[in-house]
Amino acid sequence: MPRKAPSQVRSDLPRPPSRWDSRAVIPGISGKALADIARVERYRYAPGAAWHALRHWRRLVYERGPWVMYPSFVSDYPCCDPPWIGEHRQILEEFLAVLPRRARRELRAVLAPLDARFLARTLNDPYAAPGDPWWRRRLETP
């Protein structure tokens, strides 16, 4: 019976999570706050969930194109499309709700310029439901 090559054996071994997935560092947040975020991720989300959500929110806010943008909330194919970026903002809001006060303040300081830019680049929807979060009460189409 032929043996597996050593490279094949190594490729079959489970890989440790990369630094991009598990312990992603959010710039502007202290080590203690990152430890608090990692603790929340361990019990409620996957490792690196806050970093991924922040990265997607930043990508939407700094998206190229005309200054006024119209985010899309509705998906024609919800099974196949990635979630709308607003879902990532919802994840960040849930982190803000459960983090200790100091970590919450640091994460809010990182989010504040992004949120301000999103508000500046989008238009208020006067017909939006009042119970929706503020990032969903923006116009979807011109």
Side-chain angles (χ1 to χ4, degrees):
M1 179 167 193
R3 291 180 7 162
K4 284 185 176 179
S7 61
Q8 181 64 36
V9 172
R10 282 191 300 274
S11 69
D12 292 341
L13 293 174
R15 294 184 182 196
S18 70
R19 71 181 181 101
W20 297 109
D21 292 336
S22 62
R23 302 287 283 187
V25 176
I26 300 172
I29 294 188
S30 69
K32 183 170 180 352
L34 286 173
D36 292 335
I37 289 171
R39 193 173 305 111
V40 171
E41 287 174 343
R42 191 172 335 142
Y43 293 111
R44 294 189 180 210
Y45 298 100
W51 181 79
H52 284 290
L54 184 66
R55 182 177 60 131
H56 288 294
W57 184 245
R58 182 176 286 133
R59 184 184 304 161
L60 172 74
V61 169
Y62 286 104
E63 190 173 48
R64 298 180 101 177
W67 177 252
V68 176
M69 62 182 188
Y70 299 95
S72 175
F73 302 124
V74 180
S75 172
D76 293 333
Y77 306 101
C79 66
C80 306
D81 289 342
W84 177 74
I85 303 296
E87 302 305 323
H88 297 294
R89 183 60 180 90
Q90 179 66 37
I91 290 171
L92 293 168
E93 195 67 28
E94 291 169 7
F95 271 98
L96 289 172
V98 297
L99 284 172
R101 187 180 334 167
R102 182 176 177 170
R104 183 181 322 137
R105 185 173 52 237
E106 290 182 29
L107 183 57
R108 199 177 304 272
V110 170
L111 284 173
L114 300 175
D115 293 344
R117 184 174 170 98
F118 181 78
L119 285 170
R121 290 191 67 191
T122 56
L123 301 172
N124 188 33
D125 185 2
Y127 302 109
D132 284 348
W134 63 266
W135 57 89
R136 286 212 179 260
R137 293 191 307 252
R138 310 310 284 174
L139 282 178
E140 297 180 47
T141 57

